[in-house]
């Protein structure tokens, strides 16, 4: 929404990719206030946003889903972003809504980010079909390991192993500066961009076993509100590098289930898998996927009623400069730990009623929205906890009378 941010984007190398008629800006932002973004700007620009969405949708031959990418800690991303999500649910109820929200790190410099994130999460839980959360801290850790893998002056391959030590032939890589001064968040943005590219590859390219985006929701979301998916991908790029060494295929599958390649800070192997999708690109065969599923299955804890909950996809076109890549998208109960940490940070502010007047002064905002959002988040965490503890019911054997 902020003119300065949008103008800077348009002046950059990707500025020509955007249709200027579809851009909506305002002089100022939302001041790190969800209420301003959702209740003020969301209402003020609703008709204009609706018209822009309608114009884009009418150009589609087969509209599969909407993608929304926004921050959770600020006011514009969380407020206006969730306002758009609600608008899409109202006007296009039959079209899937995929959201990639970027969660703030623990040491975030926005004091009100816990409020904004919890208020936005209620909207994500109610109106999104699939949510692929991304944590700033996870992205920062990935980029930090990449930067430590090579001397500062040296460009080229930057790789590291599961232990965080540099080694040859691994998949997390970057290539220094690309035609200009690198900005602080370029590396992190590039990782998220590759997530979306891999997720939509089957819709853009041919393949022997393509996955429609609709199938992701159908196969990975067993219950309506349990739609927060854990994404991990390999290779991970900090910046585009066309000279990476080839990877061993089996190692790529192992990497995809490593914590170092996840886009949120969590430990899925000590939690419960509800379902998992493996989306491969390039020179990969279905036999390769099956072999690796059988190899990895013993180390993964799947819920008892869906032990074969695997969805596989094959796209024949690999990423530029690579023979193949893998995106793993899993529904795993480990996300509850991320949500619990967020709730704790929210409660530390909320129990003192700190900064609440900035929100309640906005027309249409009242205190009940805080309690309802907190209740929604607590209920979501409880549902994940129940699934994690689920065990098959023991049925007594029939006794035959002699």
């Amino acid at each position: 929404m902020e003119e300065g941010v949008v103008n800077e984007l348009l002046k950059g190398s990707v500025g020509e990719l955007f249709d200027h008629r579809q851009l909506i800006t305002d002089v100022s932002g939302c001041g790190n206030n969800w209420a301003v973004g959702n209740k003020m700007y969301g209402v003020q620009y609703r008709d204009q946003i609706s018209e822009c969405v309608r114009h884009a949708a009418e150009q589609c031959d087969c509209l599969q889903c909407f993608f929304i990418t926004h921050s959770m800690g600020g006011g514009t991303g969380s407020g206006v972003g969730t306002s758009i999500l609600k608008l899409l649910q109202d006007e296009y109820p039959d079209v899937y809504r995929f959201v990639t929200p970027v969660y703030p790190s623990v040491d975030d410099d926005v004091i009100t980010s816990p409020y904004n994130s919890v208020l936005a999460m209620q909207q994500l839980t109610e109106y999104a079909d699939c949510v692929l959360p991304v944590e700033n801290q996870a992205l920062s850790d990935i980029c930090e390991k990449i930067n430590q893998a090579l001397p500062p002056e040296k460009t080229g391959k930057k790789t590291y192993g599961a232990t965080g030590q540099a080694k040859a032939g691994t998949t997390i890589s970057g290539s220094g500066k690309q035609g200009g001064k690198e900005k602080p968040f370029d590396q992190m943005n590039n990782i998220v961009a590759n997530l979306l590219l891999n997720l939509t590859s089957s819709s853009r390219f041919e393949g022997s076993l393509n996955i429609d985006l609709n199938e992701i929701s159908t196969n990975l979301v067993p219950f309506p509100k349990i739609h927060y998916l854990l994404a991990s991908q390999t290779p991970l790029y900090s910046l585009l590098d066309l000279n990476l060494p080839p990877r061993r295929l089996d190692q790529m599958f192992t990497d995809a289930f490593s914590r170092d390649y996840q886009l949120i800070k969590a430990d899925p192997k000590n939690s419960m898998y509800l379902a998992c999708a493996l989306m491969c690109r390039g020179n990969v065969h279905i036999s390769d996927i099956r072999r690796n599923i059988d190899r990895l299955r013993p180390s993964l804890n799947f819920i008892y009623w869906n032990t074969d909950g695997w969805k596989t996809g094959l796209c024949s076109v690999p990423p530029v400069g690579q023979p193949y890549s893998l995106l793993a998208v899993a529904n795993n109960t480990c996300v509850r730990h991320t949500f619990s940490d967020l709730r704790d940070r929210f409660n530390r502010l909320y129990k003192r009623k700190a900064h609440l007047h900035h929100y309640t002064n906005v027309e249409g905002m009242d205190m009940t929205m805080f309690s309802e959002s907190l209740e929604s988040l607590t209920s979501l965490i409880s549902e994940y906890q129940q699934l994690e503890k689920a065990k098959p019911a023991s049925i007594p054997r029939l006794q035959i009378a002699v």
Side-chain angles (χ1 to χ4, degrees):
M1 290 288 291
E2 297 181 42
E3 285 187 351
V5 177
V6 174
N7 288 338
E8 184 177 356
L9 177 67
L10 296 178
K11 292 177 182 177
S13 58
V14 297
E16 60 184 19
L17 300 178
F18 296 93
D19 184 350
H20 292 214
R21 296 170 298 178
Q22 295 294 98
L23 299 176
I24 300 175
T25 60
D26 198 283
V27 175
S28 63
C30 299
N32 297 323
N33 190 325
W34 180 89
V36 174
N38 193 275
K39 301 298 181 181
M40 191 172 84
Y41 284 128
V43 173
Q44 178 181 345
Y45 287 98
R46 180 183 174 90
D47 292 340
Q48 191 175 348
I49 293 171
S50 176
E51 186 65 18
C52 286
V53 173
R54 183 192 62 80
H55 183 271
E58 288 178 350
Q59 306 300 315
C60 298
D61 295 324
C62 180
L63 180 59
Q64 278 199 359
C65 80
F66 292 105
F67 274 100
I68 304 175
T69 303
H70 63 81
S71 70
M72 293 289 280
T76 304
S78 64
V80 180
T82 53
S83 176
I84 294 173
L85 178 63
K86 177 64 166 61
L87 182 150
L88 296 176
Q89 197 272 341
D90 292 339
E91 299 192 0
Y92 303 88
D94 298 327
V95 182
Y96 283 86
R97 296 168 296 280
F98 280 63
V99 184
T100 306
V102 181
Y103 283 75
S105 57
V106 176
D107 57 352
D108 184 60
D109 61 352
V110 178
I111 295 175
T112 56
S113 65
Y115 285 158
N116 297 331
S117 299
V118 172
L119 289 165
M121 272 206 66
Q122 183 188 21
Q123 309 289 308
L124 295 181
T125 302
E126 293 294 330
Y127 304 124
D129 291 299
C130 279
V131 180
L132 290 92
V134 176
E135 278 188 321
N136 269 334
Q137 190 60 53
L139 297 178
S140 177
D141 289 348
I142 291 171
C143 295
E144 182 66 23
K145 289 177 181 178
I146 294 169
N147 292 334
Q148 290 177 355
L150 279 184
E153 292 83 13
K154 188 175 181 180
T155 61
K157 294 178 293 184
K158 301 179 181 180
T159 62
Y160 79 98
T163 62
Q165 302 297 321
K167 69 175 184 179
T170 55
T171 61
I172 296 183
S173 176
S175 62
K177 301 178 182 179
Q178 297 285 322
K181 186 176 180 180
E182 180 185 338
K183 297 179 182 178
F185 300 107
D186 282 351
Q187 293 183 339
M188 298 165 69
N189 290 338
N190 191 263
I191 293 170
V192 179
N194 275 290
L195 164 65
L196 299 178
L197 288 174
N198 290 328
L199 188 66
T200 59
S201 60
S202 291
S203 300
R204 296 179 289 114
F205 304 117
E206 295 181 352
S208 58
L209 193 62
N210 274 351
I211 296 181
D212 284 339
L213 294 169
N214 302 343
E215 296 180 55
I216 295 175
S217 177
T218 302
N219 288 273
L220 299 187
V221 181
F223 307 107
K225 294 183 179 181
I226 308 298
H227 55 233
Y228 292 85
L229 308 180
L230 171 67
S232 57
Q233 56 184 347
T234 174
L236 282 172
Y237 304 97
S238 65
L239 286 174
L240 184 62
D241 188 341
L242 304 183
N243 301 307
L244 283 168
R247 295 285 293 137
R248 285 196 307 112
L249 186 62
D250 289 2
Q251 183 61 40
M252 186 175 70
F253 281 85
T254 301
D255 290 343
F257 290 91
S258 167
R259 297 177 63 178
D260 293 314
Y261 291 77
Q262 294 173 184
L263 301 191
I264 68 170
K265 303 284 288 183
D267 186 9
K269 288 192 175 182
N270 290 326
S271 299
M272 186 77 71
Y273 279 89
L274 306 181
C276 183
L278 300 176
M279 305 174 67
C280 300
R281 297 179 60 184
N283 186 24
V284 183
H285 303 286
I286 190 65
S287 59
D288 298 321
I289 298 179
R290 285 298 163 197
R291 183 182 71 253
N292 280 282
I293 288 177
D294 292 339
R295 178 175 62 87
L296 294 168
R297 191 193 301 269
S299 64
L300 305 177
N301 186 23
F302 269 77
I303 198 162
Y304 71 92
W305 43 259
N306 197 28
T307 54
D308 294 319
W310 296 87
K311 178 66 177 176
T312 56
L314 291 173
C315 175
S316 57
V317 179
V320 176
Q322 287 294 296
Y324 33 66
S325 71
L326 171 63
L327 169 66
V329 180
N331 196 334
N332 190 289
T333 59
C334 68
V335 296
R336 72 177 179 86
H337 298 292
T338 298
F339 300 156
S340 295
D341 292 342
L342 177 60
R343 182 181 60 180
D344 292 343
R345 292 165 55 202
F346 175 92
N347 283 328
R348 283 198 292 270
L349 289 176
Y350 187 61
K351 68 181 180 182
R352 293 177 174 81
K353 300 296 187 280
H355 305 287
L356 290 181
H357 63 286
H358 298 299
Y359 292 79
T360 55
N361 287 339
V362 178
E363 184 179 355
M365 185 74 184
D366 57 61
M367 286 292 295
T368 60
M369 293 182 180
F370 286 92
S371 57
E372 289 172 358
S373 297
L374 180 59
E375 183 181 350
S376 172
L377 179 57
T378 301
S379 174
L380 180 66
I381 294 170
S382 177
E383 288 190 46
Y384 276 111
Q385 287 176 329
Q386 291 174 14
L387 287 169
E388 195 167 75
K389 296 176 182 177
K391 294 181 180 179
S394 58
I395 303 175
R397 299 183 64 180
L398 293 175
Q399 301 294 324
I400 301 175
V402 179

